[in-house]
Every structure is written in C-alpha cells, then in structure tokens.
C-alpha cells in the first residue's frame, strides 16, 4: 500500500480509493511443495469433510439418539451412568480405596493441570516423542489408564438390557380401579415392587406386558428373572382376581 | 502469456469445485434441519371433530351465548380450550352459530351490548356493530361479517365444528 | 453482476483485505496429505471445527421445539423425535456430534502433544486448546441433563454429589449448579440449559477465535 502524500480516499472515509488488482500469490516459488490455502488446500480439506459428513449422517440416521423414560426420582432400581467420556472418572470413583476428594479433585486436578501446563513442564527444545521420554511415557500412561477404566466401566453394564428396561414411554394415564376385586391382592403382594400405578419401581412396569392371565398367575407364584418365587400369598380365587386385574389395566392402557 | 491464462482457468476450476463441495456439505448439513424447522407448514392439520355443544331446545330466535371446551393438542401440550358462539334460529328455522370474535381487532362481541342499538351485535372496544345475521353495519370499524361455525344437527343435539368465513362474506 | 455488487461494497467497506488475509496464505508440504499420507493427522483440528459447526446449527434448530421445563422437557424431546419430520436425524446429529467432537478433540490433542507442537512459541495456544477441551466436556455434561429422562436425572444427581464432596467449596458449588441446596429439579434444568446454550458457547466462541488468530499469527508448527 502506498504511504504518505498522494493517497486518495473514498469520500471523507479512510478507505483507499486506489484499488490494487487482486493477483493471487504464486507459491510455486516457495521452497518445498507449498501450496495456496485457498482454493488448492481448502478443496482437499473439504473433500475430506464431505466424506466425513456422509459417514456422520449415516451414523445419525442409522442410530437414533437414545431417549429413556421421563425422569422418575423414585425409581430405585435405576443404575445411573454418565456419558461415555466420563466413564473413566466414574469407574475410578467406584474403587474402594478412592475417596471422593482423592478421586474427583486431587487426581483429575493433577492430571488435567499437568495437561494444561504441559509446555512449562516439558521445556526442552526437542520435539520428537522418543527424545522426551518422560512426557511421552506419562501421556501414554494417562491414555492407557483412561482407556482401561472406560473399558472396565462399560464391560460391567449390560447395555442391551438397560436400553430394554428404559424404553421411552410417555407417562401412562391409566386409572387404577381400586374397587377391582383383584386390587387388594395386588396391594398386598405386588405394589411394593411394581408401584401403585403398575409403573414399576424396584421391579419393572406391568403396563404393556404381553402375558395372559394364566401366565401372570404362574409368574406371581414361581417368579421370573430377578423376581423370586413365592411373592403371592393368598387363595386361588384371589390369585385369579389379581391376574384379571393386571390384564384389565393392560387392556385399558392399550386403548 | 498462454501459460498465465492457463493458470487462471485452473484457479477458476478449483474455485468452482470448492463452491460445489462446500455447497454439498452445507446442503447435507442443513437439509434435515430445515425440513425439521419448516415441519409446521407442511404438516396437514388434523381436522378436528364436531363437538356436541347444546340441545336444540335451548336455541331460540334470540341469539344465546353457548360455551363449550375442546381438547386441543398443541405439540406436546394438551389442554382444554374454551370456545363460545352466539347461536339462534333464523326465519327458515336454520341454526346460525356466529363466532363472537370481532373482525376488526379480535375483541368479543355481545348481543345487544349497546342500549342504543338493540338487535345488533356490539363490540365494546371500538364501537363495532353487526346485524343479527352477522353482517357488519356499514360505517362501523369492522369491514367483514362475523365468522360462522360449521353446524351439524343430529337428533336433538347441536354439533359445532371449525369456524369459516360468513356465507355473505 | 455479482462482481459489480462486490465492487460496490468493496469501494465503501474495503472488504478485500479481510478475506484475503484468511484465504491467501501458504500451506507447507508437511501438512498436506497429497504429498505425505501421514499428514492426515493434521485433519483432526479441522474436523473438530466442522463438527462444532454441526453442533451449533443442530442445537439452534433443536431449541425450536425443546422446552427447558421439567414438566415439558421430556415430552417436547419425545414429540420432536417422534412427530416432527427429521426430528430423529437432527437430534441424532446433535447427540452423536457431541461424542464425535470429543473423539476429534482427543485425537487433535494427541497429535499436538506427540509432535511437541506446544513448545515455544506456541505455549499459549496449547493452553487455549486445553481450555476448549474443558469447555466441550462442560457442554457434554450440561447437555446430558436436558432431555430430562432417567439417564439425565440420575447422572446429574451423581455429578452434583461429586461436586458436593469437594472440600470447602463443595456445598456452595452444588447449590450454585443445582439452583437449590437439596433439590435436583426445575431450577437445575433451567440453569443447565442457560449454561449449555449461552454461557459455555460464548466461552467456546471466544476461545476458538483466539485459537485461530494465534494459529494464523504463528503459523503451523514445522516438520519433525
């Protein structure tokens, strides 16, 4: 740009009236195989970006974002888990010898503090990883422990069962007929685990189950899955009424 | 000279390709989001059913105000919305149900709301008036007749549906 | 036509230097995958930025339907996912993008670390980058609560209990995050929403701007 006297401006502004012709720089004269960012290199980057985007969209279409049932603070059987990138911290805090202060403040504080201050801890001129063994080995140790802890946490969870138990279903609006002859039996034998509205607390919800009255009678006596046998305690007639009651609520929920 | 021209066209080619790839990325990213955002426009509105509001014996030649509620589903929010209509029998014994919403600025009109104009609907906000038929009185603020409800009669029960423009509008 | 509009604007605002400064710089051979395939490791920073753009856009669109209220949050998410066209995809993009952005940031951090690219004169840019990482983790943490499903509720409760365990400031931190010393509920959700949608993105944009300006000033680190 020209300096000093003789500069012309647009109106009373400070914008130069002399427009230089836009001539792209010629990087071919530079040492090495340097190239211009725009458009040469950006095109390559965007091609990578386009391929990445297609893959990403396939992921988003093929795997819908999970959504569980609405938050229910009384659900005592729920196993809380953080998102996967906090699993390592979650697993670390699970070990007996790790107290909250130690596991949530001191160790992560040191690790992330060291990461943040890495340029001042590793001050040598040398850049190659094998020429700065302490920094490299500490980082590798960190990565391995994070991967290991994440794996340990993830392997302990039955993800399919968890997803199955926590399907997103809008809060049911069934009305519980407490006058029903089977309700008394339900109240005595089932309510403590399956909830006052069959919504499930310690045990699963009884709404939307696919059992006949006879099968329900059997389950009430013999148990199923985690449910121990002998939960029901009463006469055969009461058992039959109980099964009818559960079936009737299910029929109502389907309408 | 020829080399220089060649260089410029190569640069242009790169620019066009760059725009193309950039456009592809922008489109791939934005297409689902834009469709998501404009969904309310493209959604076919569910035709709401006719609601039973009154017994025919309650209806006379004199407009009576009838109130009822409809269940409204607004996305994830379900609510009961109150509705009103001025209903009467005209000279042919047809049932007329007029919307009480003034066509001027949306206030509620009242039958015989103004003592100096009996047998007219009166809007207290800006002195708008309508004849009994729902047609606006000339030289008052409203410029259109009141809307009408769709009417259906089943036995002795009166059903009302959506509003539609007045038959004389 | 376009050229004329451009010239008209350029005469008044002098925009040419603005974009030429961004567009017109050299890319050295050692970061160009066309010359050395191993240079693909330099892509992760750019891809992180790309996913961040996807996150910002999809997040903006999601707020068209989402309500941050415990009565309606879950129902609005359920509604947008089941009833709105492409709602499944847009929420999927935001959900998976949150994971992908962490993966990309992680790879980018490792690349910079193992190449020793944080050494003089790039110490400040490394620290800004680590801060961006923390902000991203914060965005992930606060975003997790927003659908108000069981997972969200219980994970947040655990997070808040961990915060409470911190000596001296723990209880105050918890009350500050949850909006109430004892309840995880309506006020927690509105706070997390505000943090997720306004405070952390503002911090993120500022840090990203500093990150990019410093890269342009200092240039990319040389070959090993």
């Amino acid at each position: 740009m020209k300096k000093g006297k003789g500069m012309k401006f647009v109106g009373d502004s400070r914008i130069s009236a002399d427009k230089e012709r836009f001539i792209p720089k010629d990087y071919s004269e530079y040492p090495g195989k340097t190239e211009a960012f725009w458009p040469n290199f950006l095109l390559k980057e965007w091609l990578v970006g386009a391929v990445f985007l297609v893959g990403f969209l396939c992921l988003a279409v093929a795997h819908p974002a999970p959504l569980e049932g609405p938050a229910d603070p009384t659900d005592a059987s729920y196993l809380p888990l953080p998102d996967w990138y906090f699993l390592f911290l979650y697993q670390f805090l699970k070990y007996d010898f790790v107290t909250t202060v130690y596991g949530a403040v001191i160790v992560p504080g040191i690790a992330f503090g060291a990461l943040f201050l890495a340029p001042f801890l590793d001050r040598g001129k040398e850049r190659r990883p094998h020429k700065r063994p302490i920094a490299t080995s500490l980082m590798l140790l960190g990565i391995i422990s994070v991967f290991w802890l994440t794996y340990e946490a993830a392997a302990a969870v039955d993800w399919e069962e968890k997803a199955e138990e926590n399907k997103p279903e809008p809060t049911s609006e069934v009305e519980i007929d407490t006058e029903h002859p089977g309700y008394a039996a339900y109240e005595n034998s089932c309510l403590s685990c399956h909830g006052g509205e069959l919504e499930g607390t310690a045990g699963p919800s009884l709404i939307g189950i696919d059992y006949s009255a006879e099968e329900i009678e059997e389950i009430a006596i013999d148990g199923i899955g985690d449910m121990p046998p002998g939960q029901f305690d009463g006469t055969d007639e009461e058992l039959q009424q109980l099964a009818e009651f559960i079936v009737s609520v299910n029929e109502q929920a389907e309408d | 000279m020829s080399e220089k021209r060649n260089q410029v066209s190569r640069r242009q080619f790169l620019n066009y390709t760059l725009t193309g790839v950039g456009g592809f990325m922008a489109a791939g990213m934005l297409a689902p989001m834009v469709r998501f955002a404009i969904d309310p426009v493209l959604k076919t509105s569910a035709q709401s059913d006719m609601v039973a509001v009154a017994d025919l014996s309650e209806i006379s030649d004199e407009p009576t105000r009838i109130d009822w509620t409809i269940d409204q589903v607004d996305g994830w929010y379900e609510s009961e919305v109150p509705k009103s209509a001025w209903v009467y029998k005209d000279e042919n014994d047809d049932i007329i149900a007029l919307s009480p919403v003034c066509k001027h600025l949306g206030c509620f009109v009242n039958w015989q709301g103004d003592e100096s104009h009996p047998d007219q609907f009166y809007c207290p906000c800006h002195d708008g008036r309508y004849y009994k038929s729902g047609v606006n009185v000339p030289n008052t603020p409203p410029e259109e007749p009141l809307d009408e409800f769709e009417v259906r009669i089943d036995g002795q029960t009166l059903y009302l549906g959506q509003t539609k423009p007045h038959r004389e509008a | 036509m376009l050229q004329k509009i451009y010239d008209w604007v350029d005469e008044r605002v002098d925009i040419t230097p603005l974009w030429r400064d961004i567009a017109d710089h050299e890319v050295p051979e050692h970061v160009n995958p066309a010359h050395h395939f191993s240079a693909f490791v330099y892509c992760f920073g750019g891809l992180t930025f790309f996913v961040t753009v996807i996150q910002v856009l999809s997040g903006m669109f999601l707020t068209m339907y989402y309500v941050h209220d415990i009565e309606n949050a879950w129902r609005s998410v359920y509604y947008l996912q089941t009833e709105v066209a492409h709602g499944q995809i847009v929420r999927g993009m935001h959900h998976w993008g949150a994971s992908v952005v962490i993966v990309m940031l992680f790879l980018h951090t490792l690349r910079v670390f193992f190449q020793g690219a944080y050494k003089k004169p790039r110490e400040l840019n490394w620290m800004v980058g680590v801060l961006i990482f923390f902000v991203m983790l914060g965005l992930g943490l606060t975003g997790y609560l927003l659908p108000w499903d069981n997972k969200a509720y219980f994970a947040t409760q655990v997070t808040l209990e961990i915060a409470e365990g911190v000596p001296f400031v723990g209880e105050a931190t918890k009350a500050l995050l949850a909006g109430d010393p004892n309840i995880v509920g309506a006020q927690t959700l509105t706070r997390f929403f505000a943090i997720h949608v306004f405070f952390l993105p503002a911090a993120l944009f500022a840090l990203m701007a500093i990150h990019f300006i410093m890269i342009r000033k200092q240039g990319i680190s040389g070959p090993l």
Side-chain angles (χ1 to χ4, degrees):
Chain A
M1 190 188 279
K2 275 190 286 182
K3 290 214 164 73
K5 286 183 183 174
M7 271 189 83
K8 288 193 183 111
F9 296 104
V10 179
D12 60 355
S13 76
R14 293 293 174 267
I15 289 169
S16 170
D18 304 320
K19 287 287 168 200
E20 289 166 55
R21 182 93 184 87
F22 168 57
I23 305 154
K25 262 190 229 164
D26 186 2
Y27 292 100
S28 58
E29 310 262 314
Y30 281 44
K33 291 173 191 153
T34 290
E35 67 180 11
F37 174 71
W38 179 296
N40 305 44
F41 187 72
L42 193 61
L43 178 59
K44 286 170 195 148
E45 269 199 333
W46 281 15
L47 284 173
V48 175
V51 172
F52 171 84
L53 180 67
V54 170
F56 179 73
L57 284 176
C58 288
L59 172 74
V61 171
H63 294 274
L67 180 68
E68 297 189 343
D72 174 14
T74 60
D75 187 346
S77 66
Y78 191 82
L79 167 69
L81 278 180
D83 226 343
W84 63 267
Y85 38 84
F86 287 116
L87 275 181
F88 72 97
L89 208 56
Y90 162 87
Q91 179 70 16
F92 187 53
L93 284 163
K94 245 165 71 170
Y95 293 122
D96 283 340
F97 61 90
V98 182
T99 61
T100 308
V101 179
Y102 180 68
V105 185
I106 298 177
V107 174
I110 290 174
F112 286 110
L115 190 73
F116 184 64
L117 297 173
F120 307 102
L121 302 173
D122 173 28
R123 305 171 61 153
K125 279 248 184 300
E126 195 52 65
R127 282 181 49 202
R128 286 162 195 278
H130 59 271
K131 290 276 173 67
R132 42 195 186 98
I134 299 174
T136 307
S137 48
L138 281 176
M139 188 56 150
L140 285 175
L141 189 70
I143 296 171
I144 291 167
S145 39
V146 165
F147 270 81
W148 165 250
L149 287 169
T150 308
Y151 173 77
E152 280 288 283
V157 181
D158 186 343
W159 296 95
E160 274 172 20
E161 192 191 316
K162 191 172 158 66
E164 189 62 33
E165 275 176 13
N166 291 290
K167 279 194 188 148
E169 263 154 33
T171 8
S172 75
E173 275 158 27
V174 291
E175 274 176 40
I176 301 301
D177 176 13
T178 50
E179 301 293 303
H180 193 284
Y183 183 75
Y186 177 81
E187 202 176 8
N188 288 334
S189 306
C190 321
L191 186 138
S192 56
C193 292
H194 292 292
E197 291 179 334
L198 281 69
E199 79 279 14
T201 51
S205 168
L206 296 183
I207 294 168
I209 53 171
D210 195 18
Y211 293 118
S212 67
E214 288 76 35
E215 286 169 314
I216 292 173
E217 287 177 25
E218 253 172 56
I219 294 169
I221 291 172
D222 300 337
I224 188 171
D226 290 337
M227 177 175 162
Q231 289 296 311
F232 176 74
D233 181 26
T235 65
D236 283 355
E237 196 198 341
E238 281 169 348
L239 181 62
Q240 204 183 339
Q241 287 169 339
L242 169 69
E244 275 166 18
F245 168 70
I246 293 173
V247 169
S248 74
V249 175
N250 268 290
E251 278 167 359
Q252 188 199 343
E254 272 166 32
D255 294 339
Chain B
M1 194 64 209
S2 68
E3 198 192 327
K4 190 166 188 181
R5 268 176 58 203
N6 191 18
Q7 228 180 17
V8 169
S9 76
R10 173 182 148 79
R11 196 180 171 79
Q12 271 175 345
F13 170 76
L14 284 173
N15 268 324
Y16 293 149
T17 330
L18 192 66
T19 320
V21 177
F24 172 78
M25 287 202 291
M29 224 165 19
L30 286 170
M33 298 180 196
V34 169
R35 179 63 184 82
F36 176 76
I38 62 170
D39 193 53
V41 181
L42 299 175
K43 210 167 231 176
T44 45
S45 64
Q47 199 63 46
S48 65
D49 300 331
M50 307 285 266
V51 184
V53 296
D55 197 84
L56 280 192
S57 58
E58 296 167 37
I59 316 277
S60 63
D61 321 342
E62 195 72 0
T64 11
R65 181 172 162 161
I66 299 215
D67 295 310
W68 74 100
T69 58
I70 57 162
D71 292 325
Q72 182 175 279
V73 180
D74 176 13
W76 54 90
Y77 183 71
E78 287 174 29
S79 55
E80 290 200 333
V81 177
K83 293 258 188 184
S84 324
W86 289 104
V87 186
Y88 65 93
K89 278 188 195 140
D90 69 2
E91 49 275 21
N92 308 327
D93 260 8
D94 288 333
I95 302 272
I96 307 287
L98 293 171
S99 154
V101 179
C102 180
K103 295 298 275 186
H104 177 222
L105 290 171
C107 297
F108 262 50
V109 299
N110 277 313
W111 176 245
Q112 296 177 334
D114 183 25
E115 283 168 15
S116 51
H117 297 284
D119 295 334
Q120 284 187 1
F121 290 104
Y122 173 74
C123 177
C125 295
H126 300 94
D127 297 331
R129 282 180 284 125
Y130 300 84
Y131 298 116
K132 188 180 171 187
S133 68
V135 174
N136 49 316
V137 177
N139 302 321
T140 65
E143 291 179 339
E144 276 174 80
L146 292 170
D147 285 341
E148 275 183 280
F149 283 95
E150 283 173 42
V151 176
R152 204 182 79 212
I153 294 155
D154 193 7
Q156 277 299 299
T157 320
L158 171 68
Y159 290 82
L160 294 183
Q162 303 276 35
T163 54
K164 57 178 199 236
H166 194 273
R167 64 192 70 182
E168 281 167 43
Chain C
M1 179 64 194
L2 279 176
Q3 188 64 44
K4 280 221 173 103
I5 295 173
Y6 179 86
D7 289 342
W8 190 89
V9 175
D10 192 43
E11 188 189 354
R12 283 155 183 80
V13 202
D14 203 20
I15 52 177
T16 304
L18 298 180
W19 70 262
R20 272 189 67 174
D21 190 55
I22 295 165
D24 225 16
H25 64 93
E26 57 167 328
V27 178
E29 180 186 338
H30 72 280
V31 307
N32 194 332
H35 300 305
H36 306 280
F37 182 69
S38 59
F40 75 87
V41 293
Y42 288 92
C43 278
F44 298 134
L47 286 177
T48 307
F49 177 65
F50 184 38
V51 187
T52 308
V53 171
I54 294 179
Q55 289 304 88
V56 171
L57 286 173
S58 55
M60 279 163 58
F61 280 93
L62 282 174
T63 53
M64 282 187 173
Y65 293 93
Y66 175 77
V67 248
H68 52 286
D69 166 69
I70 55 170
E71 292 276 333
N72 290 304
W74 187 87
R75 282 193 277 171
S76 67
V77 174
Y78 187 75
Y79 173 79
L80 75 85
Q81 201 165 313
T82 52
E83 306 278 325
V84 183
H86 291 9
Q88 190 85 267
I89 302 176
V90 178
R91 180 158 179 256
M93 285 168 84
H94 203 68
H95 175 87
W96 295 113
S99 292
V100 174
V101 89
I102 302 275
V103 173
M104 291 298 157
L105 264 175
F106 183 68
L107 295 173
H108 179 60
T109 310
L110 290 190
R111 193 277 288 172
V112 174
F113 184 86
F114 284 120
Q115 288 192 339
Y118 53 77
K119 301 204 166 206
K120 192 182 171 187
R122 298 188 176 81
E123 299 97 324
L124 281 175
N125 217 4
W126 166 266
M127 290 162 75
V128 170
V130 175
L131 289 180
I132 291 179
F133 205 150
F134 292 161
V135 170
M136 279 295 183
L137 288 176
L139 280 164
L141 188 77
T142 48
Y144 208 57
L145 177 69
L146 301 187
W148 201 250
D149 58 357
N150 269 328
K151 188 168 62 178
Y153 177 82
F154 287 105
T156 304
Q157 189 144 41
V158 172
T159 309
L160 290 172
E161 263 160 42
I162 292 173
E164 199 180 13
V166 176
F168 309 120
V169 292
E171 275 176 35
T173 315
K174 188 197 168 190
L176 204 60
L177 277 173
D180 185 283
N182 303 310
I183 309 167
V184 178
Q187 303 193 71
T188 321
L189 184 58
T190 48
R191 263 168 196 261
F192 272 51
F193 178 78
I195 295 171
H196 184 79
V197 172
F198 295 106
F199 291 85
L200 288 181
L204 183 71
F205 294 152
L207 289 170
M208 282 195 332
I210 300 171
H211 204 62
F212 294 153
I213 289 169
M214 283 205 271
I215 295 171
R216 279 313 312 279
K217 277 258 165 193
Q218 301 173 330
I220 199 148
S221 59
L224 280 175

